[in-house]
Amino acid sequence: MEQASCLLKFADYGLGGETPPLRAKMLLICPGIHEIELTECFLNGIIENWEEQQQLGELLIFPTQEYPAYSSFQIYNFIQQNTPKSAIIIISFSAGVVGAIGAALTWQHFGGTVKGFIAIDGWGVPLVANFPIYRISHDYFTHWSSALLGSGNESFYADPAVEHLELWRSPQTTKGWWNHETSTGLKTATPTTATLFIQNILKSSLLI
């Protein structure tokens, strides 16, 4: 994928340039340890053809080029500085899952609201909380083994498997299975893409 195809209008989403007014909800992106361009690709993959349908809250990226992706302390400070009164929805990836879950639990402990927590390839990270948690994995083994430490409310895994960074770079082309319960309580798996899974979770979280 050419880098140019991953460009996003940062100013439109509060990622650079003029920051929009603080809104009732904030979508916080906590990347892993990788090039920042991959995060641009990820956002382009989940927001393209969707921004007209939903009103996102303020969208911010934790600056992993300045602070460790796995630092709960720094992520929590970042939340405090940027959204002292907002409910947050968090999307985290890889090492960012380590820092983000600690920050989310701390934020909630001190009275903040976490509307949803999406962990992408957070292999080996225990995810247990009383707010909604969703796991996304790049292959079935990661999905299965991660579930031992908390499967979350719903989950998605790529099938066929993709590379770890490919999942973050191209969620819109990552096909797989959405694991969830039906209205009758039966567990089922529905074919979809990582992007559609994430969009469904965000829509649900924004309406809660």
Side-chain angles (χ1 to χ4, degrees), residues 66-127:
E66 300 176 23
Y67 306 104
Y70 49 80
S71 175
S72 296
F73 175 76
Q74 296 290 359
I75 294 175
Y76 174 70
N77 282 343
F78 184 74
I79 294 172
Q80 277 195 312
Q81 292 166 9
N82 287 282
T83 179
K85 296 181 180 179
S86 293
I88 61 173
I89 303 166
I90 299 177
I91 300 179
S92 55
F93 173 65
S94 193
V97 177
V98 179
I101 188 62
L105 290 169
T106 304
W107 174 250
Q108 185 185 61
H109 176 75
F110 287 108
T113 300
V114 181
K115 305 292 278 186
F117 186 95
I118 301 175
I120 302 178
D121 261 2
W123 189 79
V125 182
L127 296 179

Side-chain angles (χ1 to χ4, degrees), residues 8 15 18 31 47 96 99 101 118 140 143 145 160 170 191 193:
L8 186 73
L15 303 179
E18 237 180 90
I47 293 176
I101 188 62
I118 301 175
Y140 179 75
H143 162 77
S145 55
S170 305
T193 65

Side-chain angles (χ1 to χ4, degrees), residues 92-165:
S92 55
F93 173 65
S94 193
V97 177
V98 179
I101 188 62
L105 290 169
T106 304
W107 174 250
Q108 185 185 61
H109 176 75
F110 287 108
T113 300
V114 181
K115 305 292 278 186
F117 186 95
I118 301 175
I120 302 178
D121 261 2
W123 189 79
V125 182
L127 296 179
V128 179
N130 60 357
F131 47 77
I133 292 178
Y134 310 91
R135 279 194 186 268
I136 298 176
S137 303
H138 76 277
D139 63 10
Y140 179 75
F141 174 77
T142 304
H143 162 77
W144 172 83
S145 55
S146 294
L148 299 176
L149 298 174
S151 59
N153 297 61
E154 299 177 17
S155 61
F156 170 92
Y157 68 90
D159 182 23
V162 298
E163 294 295 327
H164 175 64
L165 290 178

Side-chain angles (χ1 to χ4, degrees), residues 35-50:
E35 297 86 351
I36 193 171
E37 288 79 12
L38 296 185
T39 300
E40 298 173 23
C41 292
F42 172 77
L43 288 171
N44 196 53
I46 66 168
I47 293 176
E48 187 178 15
N49 299 322
W50 185 60

